[in-house]
Amino acid sequence: MATMEKVFADYNARKAIIEASTNPFAQGVAWVAGELVPLHEARIPLMDQGFLHSDLTYDVPSVWDGRFFRLDDHLERLALSCTKIRLHLPLPKDEIKKILLDMVAKSGIRDAFVELIVTRGFKGVRESKPEDIVPNLYMFIMPYIWVMEPEMQLAGNGSAIIARTVRRIPPGSLDPTVKNLQWGDLTRAMFEAQDRGASYPFLTDGDANLTEGSGFNVCIIKDGVVYTPDRGVLKGVTRKSVIDVGNKNGIEVRVEVVPVEMVYKADEIFMCTTAGGIMPITSLDGERVVDGKIGPITKKIWDGYWAMHFDPVYTITVDYAVQSKL
């Protein structure tokens, strides 16, 4: 898989440069209350409702080789998530975008994991009127992190399990389309995966249907068609890219109910998320997925996904000239 090897080789070369940098923001920078600080020095107020009750929503864009990828999609989803939990963005989206571009430029990081968190602020719902609540915004940038490391992707030995001891929190309790940090079920599932000798858990809805994993959407391929669950899941921006790649390459992608039985009969399986992209799974519940190798459709989607990161339709280029002002 030559494209995968080249993408990771180029990434490792850029990673070596940032690791050797003396820039005070090279290992991460945070925006807290309008101030930029090195990430390891960033602090959040103890009385913030986001910390006390996980009363928040967040989103995670990324920067790849000096370009923000689908930043507008992430900001639009964040704004919608805020609306769904009766919050609002503390700053206009265009202003947030300018701050993020400035942060990345000043850090010198060319491949970045970016997180924006909007909390309820210092007043809880119980003791306040909605109009008196002032949300807080926290943002940070750090060198790119991987849900599935490049070495595992290259080796093609990603392993997963269908979780048996925990199911996904039902949508009636917590809207899964609102990105949140209430990870109790996902954390339990990750422990179960470790206990069963696998790297990743897939959770069900309790009615024998697939939902999602711990920070990623799941896609299966059967008879040349890609299937991904339509309920009990986050509407992932990376999943949206999978659909775009499929449309461009004549690969049918269906967003619908995916029974667990169908997962066990899949020809190929992959996970997808901003922090890792398209991540092949070749073993499920200790058994090989077909021949235990990365399949041809997964490879095609993998290639198409990373090619999008250099397409101006989906990207915003960072101007690193601002570094000289530090």
Side-chain angles (χ1 to χ4, degrees), residues 63-90:
V63 176
W64 188 258
D65 198 6
R67 302 168 182 85
F68 263 102
F69 183 61
R70 304 198 85 145
L71 179 57
D72 289 328
D73 289 312
H74 284 281
L75 292 179
E76 287 171 12
R77 184 174 65 180
L78 179 61
L80 180 59
S81 293
C82 285
T83 300
K84 288 179 177 179
I85 62 172
R86 301 176 72 168
L87 277 175
H88 63 270
L89 287 176

mmCIF file of all heavy atoms in Angstrom, residues 63-90:
data_model
loop_
_atom_site.group_PDB
_atom_site.id
_atom_site.type_symbol
_atom_site.label_atom_id
_atom_site.label_comp_id
_atom_site.label_asym_id
_atom_site.label_seq_id
_atom_site.Cartn_x
_atom_site.Cartn_y
_atom_site.Cartn_z
ATOM 1 N N VAL A 63 -5.262 19.617 11.800
ATOM 2 C CA VAL A 63 -4.403 20.266 10.811
ATOM 3 C C VAL A 63 -3.490 19.182 10.253
ATOM 4 O O VAL A 63 -2.927 18.392 11.013
ATOM 5 C CB VAL A 63 -3.557 21.386 11.439
ATOM 6 C CG1 VAL A 63 -2.602 21.990 10.413
ATOM 7 C CG2 VAL A 63 -4.460 22.462 12.033
ATOM 8 N N TRP A 64 -3.390 19.129 8.935
ATOM 9 C CA TRP A 64 -2.520 18.135 8.306
ATOM 10 C C TRP A 64 -1.617 18.832 7.294
ATOM 11 O O TRP A 64 -2.103 19.488 6.376
ATOM 12 C CB TRP A 64 -3.333 17.036 7.634
ATOM 13 C CG TRP A 64 -2.492 15.902 7.153
ATOM 14 C CD1 TRP A 64 -2.084 15.641 5.878
ATOM 15 C CD2 TRP A 64 -1.901 14.869 7.970
ATOM 16 N NE1 TRP A 64 -1.283 14.514 5.844
ATOM 17 C CE2 TRP A 64 -1.162 14.020 7.122
ATOM 18 C CE3 TRP A 64 -1.931 14.595 9.343
ATOM 19 C CZ2 TRP A 64 -0.452 12.915 7.601
ATOM 20 C CZ3 TRP A 64 -1.239 13.500 9.811
ATOM 21 C CH2 TRP A 64 -0.514 12.672 8.952
ATOM 22 N N ASP A 65 -0.313 18.713 7.520
ATOM 23 C CA ASP A 65 0.691 19.336 6.653
ATOM 24 C C ASP A 65 0.373 20.807 6.407
ATOM 25 O O ASP A 65 0.406 21.294 5.270
ATOM 26 C CB ASP A 65 0.816 18.596 5.329
ATOM 27 C CG ASP A 65 2.121 18.938 4.603
ATOM 28 O OD1 ASP A 65 2.967 19.648 5.187
ATOM 29 O OD2 ASP A 65 2.282 18.510 3.440
ATOM 30 N N GLY A 66 0.055 21.508 7.500
ATOM 31 C CA GLY A 66 -0.140 22.948 7.414
ATOM 32 C C GLY A 66 -1.491 23.400 6.897
ATOM 33 O O GLY A 66 -1.659 24.580 6.554
ATOM 34 N N ARG A 67 -2.484 22.509 6.872
ATOM 35 C CA ARG A 67 -3.811 22.863 6.375
ATOM 36 C C ARG A 67 -4.881 22.363 7.341
ATOM 37 O O ARG A 67 -4.888 21.180 7.701
ATOM 38 C CB ARG A 67 -4.068 22.240 4.995
ATOM 39 C CG ARG A 67 -3.076 22.634 3.918
ATOM 40 C CD ARG A 67 -3.252 21.726 2.698
ATOM 41 N NE ARG A 67 -2.293 22.010 1.635
ATOM 42 C CZ ARG A 67 -1.066 21.511 1.571
ATOM 43 N NH1 ARG A 67 -0.631 20.705 2.549
ATOM 44 N NH2 ARG A 67 -0.251 21.807 0.579
ATOM 45 N N PHE A 68 -5.778 23.252 7.734
ATOM 46 C CA PHE A 68 -6.950 22.809 8.484
ATOM 47 C C PHE A 68 -7.829 21.992 7.554
ATOM 48 O O PHE A 68 -8.032 22.357 6.394
ATOM 49 C CB PHE A 68 -7.750 23.999 9.005
ATOM 50 C CG PHE A 68 -7.439 24.363 10.427
ATOM 51 C CD1 PHE A 68 -6.613 25.439 10.719
ATOM 52 C CD2 PHE A 68 -7.984 23.638 11.480
ATOM 53 C CE1 PHE A 68 -6.326 25.788 12.024
ATOM 54 C CE2 PHE A 68 -7.710 23.976 12.796
ATOM 55 C CZ PHE A 68 -6.878 25.042 13.072
ATOM 56 N N PHE A 69 -8.370 20.891 8.056
ATOM 57 C CA PHE A 69 -9.219 20.022 7.254
ATOM 58 C C PHE A 69 -10.666 20.121 7.722
ATOM 59 O O PHE A 69 -10.967 19.896 8.883
ATOM 60 C CB PHE A 69 -8.738 18.572 7.347
ATOM 61 C CG PHE A 69 -9.505 17.614 6.483
ATOM 62 C CD1 PHE A 69 -9.531 17.764 5.108
ATOM 63 C CD2 PHE A 69 -10.214 16.559 7.051
ATOM 64 C CE1 PHE A 69 -10.252 16.884 4.301
ATOM 65 C CE2 PHE A 69 -10.923 15.670 6.256
ATOM 66 C CZ PHE A 69 -10.948 15.835 4.873
ATOM 67 N N ARG A 70 -11.534 20.520 6.814
ATOM 68 C CA ARG A 70 -12.979 20.615 7.049
ATOM 69 C C ARG A 70 -13.301 21.404 8.317
ATOM 70 O O ARG A 70 -14.202 21.043 9.096
ATOM 71 C CB ARG A 70 -13.625 19.229 7.083
ATOM 72 C CG ARG A 70 -13.376 18.395 5.848
ATOM 73 C CD ARG A 70 -14.325 17.236 5.675
ATOM 74 N NE ARG A 70 -15.543 17.700 5.011
ATOM 75 C CZ ARG A 70 -16.248 16.970 4.129
ATOM 76 N NH1 ARG A 70 -15.842 15.738 3.791
ATOM 77 N NH2 ARG A 70 -17.334 17.452 3.580
ATOM 78 N N LEU A 71 -12.578 22.506 8.543
ATOM 79 C CA LEU A 71 -12.784 23.299 9.749
ATOM 80 C C LEU A 71 -14.202 23.847 9.824
ATOM 81 O O LEU A 71 -14.819 23.855 10.895
ATOM 82 C CB LEU A 71 -11.763 24.440 9.809
ATOM 83 C CG LEU A 71 -11.859 25.375 11.015
ATOM 84 C CD1 LEU A 71 -11.747 24.601 12.325
ATOM 85 C CD2 LEU A 71 -10.776 26.455 10.943
ATOM 86 N N ASP A 72 -14.750 24.312 8.714
ATOM 87 C CA ASP A 72 -16.111 24.855 8.738
ATOM 88 C C ASP A 72 -17.122 23.788 9.150
ATOM 89 O O ASP A 72 -18.076 24.085 9.877
ATOM 90 C CB ASP A 72 -16.477 25.432 7.370
ATOM 91 C CG ASP A 72 -15.723 26.722 7.066
ATOM 92 O OD1 ASP A 72 -15.426 27.466 8.020
ATOM 93 O OD2 ASP A 72 -15.427 26.983 5.890
ATOM 94 N N ASP A 73 -16.932 22.554 8.702
ATOM 95 C CA ASP A 73 -17.838 21.469 9.101
ATOM 96 C C ASP A 73 -17.794 21.246 10.608
ATOM 97 O O ASP A 73 -18.831 21.023 11.251
ATOM 98 C CB ASP A 73 -17.453 20.168 8.383
ATOM 99 C CG ASP A 73 -17.787 20.203 6.902
ATOM 100 O OD1 ASP A 73 -18.902 20.584 6.547
ATOM 101 O OD2 ASP A 73 -16.911 19.845 6.097
ATOM 102 N N HIS A 74 -16.596 21.302 11.168
ATOM 103 C CA HIS A 74 -16.466 21.104 12.614
ATOM 104 C C HIS A 74 -17.106 22.253 13.394
ATOM 105 O O HIS A 74 -17.786 22.025 14.409
ATOM 106 C CB HIS A 74 -14.995 20.966 12.990
ATOM 107 C CG HIS A 74 -14.402 19.630 12.653
ATOM 108 N ND1 HIS A 74 -14.604 18.507 13.422
ATOM 109 C CD2 HIS A 74 -13.627 19.240 11.608
ATOM 110 C CE1 HIS A 74 -13.973 17.479 12.877
ATOM 111 N NE2 HIS A 74 -13.371 17.893 11.779
ATOM 112 N N LEU A 75 -16.896 23.482 12.943
ATOM 113 C CA LEU A 75 -17.474 24.627 13.647
ATOM 114 C C LEU A 75 -18.992 24.635 13.538
ATOM 115 O O LEU A 75 -19.692 24.992 14.493
ATOM 116 C CB LEU A 75 -16.889 25.924 13.110
ATOM 117 C CG LEU A 75 -15.397 26.158 13.410
ATOM 118 C CD1 LEU A 75 -14.921 27.465 12.797
ATOM 119 C CD2 LEU A 75 -15.132 26.159 14.915
ATOM 120 N N GLU A 76 -19.510 24.234 12.396
ATOM 121 C CA GLU A 76 -20.966 24.160 12.235
ATOM 122 C C GLU A 76 -21.554 23.091 13.149
ATOM 123 O O GLU A 76 -22.610 23.290 13.764
ATOM 124 C CB GLU A 76 -21.309 23.861 10.775
ATOM 125 C CG GLU A 76 -21.080 25.044 9.838
ATOM 126 C CD GLU A 76 -21.222 24.672 8.378
ATOM 127 O OE1 GLU A 76 -21.716 23.559 8.089
ATOM 128 O OE2 GLU A 76 -20.839 25.499 7.521
ATOM 129 N N ARG A 77 -20.864 21.958 13.262
ATOM 130 C CA ARG A 77 -21.358 20.901 14.156
ATOM 131 C C ARG A 77 -21.288 21.348 15.613
ATOM 132 O O ARG A 77 -22.200 21.071 16.407
ATOM 133 C CB ARG A 77 -20.565 19.610 13.962
ATOM 134 C CG ARG A 77 -21.114 18.455 14.794
ATOM 135 C CD ARG A 77 -20.416 17.137 14.487
ATOM 136 N NE ARG A 77 -19.012 17.156 14.871
ATOM 137 C CZ ARG A 77 -18.182 16.122 14.707
ATOM 138 N NH1 ARG A 77 -18.624 15.010 14.151
ATOM 139 N NH2 ARG A 77 -16.916 16.204 15.078
ATOM 140 N N LEU A 78 -20.229 22.056 15.973
ATOM 141 C CA LEU A 78 -20.103 22.549 17.343
ATOM 142 C C LEU A 78 -21.229 23.523 17.667
ATOM 143 O O LEU A 78 -21.835 23.451 18.746
ATOM 144 C CB LEU A 78 -18.741 23.221 17.535
ATOM 145 C CG LEU A 78 -18.472 23.802 18.926
ATOM 146 C CD1 LEU A 78 -18.505 22.714 20.000
ATOM 147 C CD2 LEU A 78 -17.120 24.529 18.948
ATOM 148 N N ALA A 79 -21.520 24.428 16.749
ATOM 149 C CA ALA A 79 -22.604 25.391 16.975
ATOM 150 C C ALA A 79 -23.942 24.674 17.128
ATOM 151 O O ALA A 79 -24.760 25.026 17.997
ATOM 152 C CB ALA A 79 -22.650 26.394 15.822
ATOM 153 N N LEU A 80 -24.181 23.659 16.305
ATOM 154 C CA LEU A 80 -25.422 22.898 16.386
ATOM 155 C C LEU A 80 -25.501 22.122 17.696
ATOM 156 O O LEU A 80 -26.564 22.065 18.338
ATOM 157 C CB LEU A 80 -25.519 21.933 15.204
ATOM 158 C CG LEU A 80 -26.775 21.061 15.130
ATOM 159 C CD1 LEU A 80 -28.035 21.928 15.067
ATOM 160 C CD2 LEU A 80 -26.712 20.132 13.912
ATOM 161 N N SER A 81 -24.385 21.548 18.122
ATOM 162 C CA SER A 81 -24.357 20.842 19.403
ATOM 163 C C SER A 81 -24.688 21.791 20.547
ATOM 164 O O SER A 81 -25.437 21.431 21.473
ATOM 165 C CB SER A 81 -22.977 20.206 19.628
ATOM 166 O OG SER A 81 -22.732 19.162 18.710
ATOM 167 N N CYS A 82 -24.139 22.994 20.505
ATOM 168 C CA CYS A 82 -24.452 23.993 21.538
ATOM 169 C C CYS A 82 -25.948 24.264 21.587
ATOM 170 O O CYS A 82 -26.567 24.293 22.666
ATOM 171 C CB CYS A 82 -23.703 25.296 21.258
ATOM 172 S SG CYS A 82 -21.931 25.252 21.636
ATOM 173 N N THR A 83 -26.551 24.449 20.423
ATOM 174 C CA THR A 83 -27.986 24.725 20.363
ATOM 175 C C THR A 83 -28.796 23.585 20.964
ATOM 176 O O THR A 83 -29.764 23.812 21.701
ATOM 177 C CB THR A 83 -28.423 24.958 18.906
ATOM 178 O OG1 THR A 83 -27.708 26.078 18.368
ATOM 179 C CG2 THR A 83 -29.911 25.231 18.813
ATOM 180 N N LYS A 84 -28.389 22.361 20.688
ATOM 181 C CA LYS A 84 -29.131 21.190 21.170
ATOM 182 C C LYS A 84 -29.118 21.068 22.684
ATOM 183 O O LYS A 84 -30.043 20.480 23.268
ATOM 184 C CB LYS A 84 -28.577 19.916 20.528
ATOM 185 C CG LYS A 84 -28.915 19.775 19.052
ATOM 186 C CD LYS A 84 -28.301 18.499 18.477
ATOM 187 C CE LYS A 84 -28.692 18.306 17.025
ATOM 188 N NZ LYS A 84 -28.090 17.075 16.441
ATOM 189 N N ILE A 85 -28.068 21.580 23.340
ATOM 190 C CA ILE A 85 -28.020 21.507 24.809
ATOM 191 C C ILE A 85 -28.228 22.885 25.441
ATOM 192 O O ILE A 85 -27.854 23.122 26.576
ATOM 193 C CB ILE A 85 -26.713 20.859 25.311
ATOM 194 C CG1 ILE A 85 -25.478 21.670 24.900
ATOM 195 C CG2 ILE A 85 -26.603 19.423 24.823
ATOM 196 C CD1 ILE A 85 -24.189 21.166 25.544
ATOM 197 N N ARG A 86 -28.851 23.784 24.655
ATOM 198 C CA ARG A 86 -29.246 25.109 25.136
ATOM 199 C C ARG A 86 -28.049 25.935 25.584
ATOM 200 O O ARG A 86 -28.053 26.588 26.616
ATOM 201 C CB ARG A 86 -30.303 24.982 26.233
ATOM 202 C CG ARG A 86 -31.537 24.241 25.728
ATOM 203 C CD ARG A 86 -32.571 24.010 26.797
ATOM 204 N NE ARG A 86 -33.255 25.246 27.164
ATOM 205 C CZ ARG A 86 -34.368 25.273 27.919
ATOM 206 N NH1 ARG A 86 -34.904 24.133 28.341
ATOM 207 N NH2 ARG A 86 -34.925 26.424 28.234
ATOM 208 N N LEU A 87 -27.020 25.896 24.745
ATOM 209 C CA LEU A 87 -25.854 26.761 24.886
ATOM 210 C C LEU A 87 -25.702 27.552 23.601
ATOM 211 O O LEU A 87 -26.468 27.381 22.652
ATOM 212 C CB LEU A 87 -24.587 25.922 25.117
ATOM 213 C CG LEU A 87 -24.281 25.451 26.532
ATOM 214 C CD1 LEU A 87 -23.049 24.541 26.519
ATOM 215 C CD2 LEU A 87 -24.054 26.628 27.462
ATOM 216 N N HIS A 88 -24.704 28.403 23.550
ATOM 217 C CA HIS A 88 -24.361 29.089 22.311
ATOM 218 C C HIS A 88 -22.857 29.305 22.282
ATOM 219 O O HIS A 88 -22.194 29.303 23.328
ATOM 220 C CB HIS A 88 -25.093 30.433 22.180
ATOM 221 C CG HIS A 88 -24.720 31.434 23.244
ATOM 222 N ND1 HIS A 88 -25.403 31.526 24.446
ATOM 223 C CD2 HIS A 88 -23.729 32.366 23.312
ATOM 224 C CE1 HIS A 88 -24.857 32.466 25.194
ATOM 225 N NE2 HIS A 88 -23.845 32.998 24.540
ATOM 226 N N LEU A 89 -22.310 29.448 21.079
ATOM 227 C CA LEU A 89 -20.883 29.731 20.969
ATOM 228 C C LEU A 89 -20.582 31.079 21.599
ATOM 229 O O LEU A 89 -21.240 32.070 21.285
ATOM 230 C CB LEU A 89 -20.458 29.738 19.496
ATOM 231 C CG LEU A 89 -20.370 28.392 18.778
ATOM 232 C CD1 LEU A 89 -20.022 28.610 17.310
ATOM 233 C CD2 LEU A 89 -19.336 27.490 19.426
ATOM 234 N N PRO A 90 -19.588 31.165 22.477
ATOM 235 C CA PRO A 90 -19.261 32.437 23.107
ATOM 236 C C PRO A 90 -18.714 33.486 22.136
ATOM 237 O O PRO A 90 -18.754 34.681 22.433
ATOM 238 C CB PRO A 90 -18.195 32.052 24.144
ATOM 239 C CG PRO A 90 -18.426 30.603 24.402
ATOM 240 C CD PRO A 90 -18.856 30.046 23.084
#
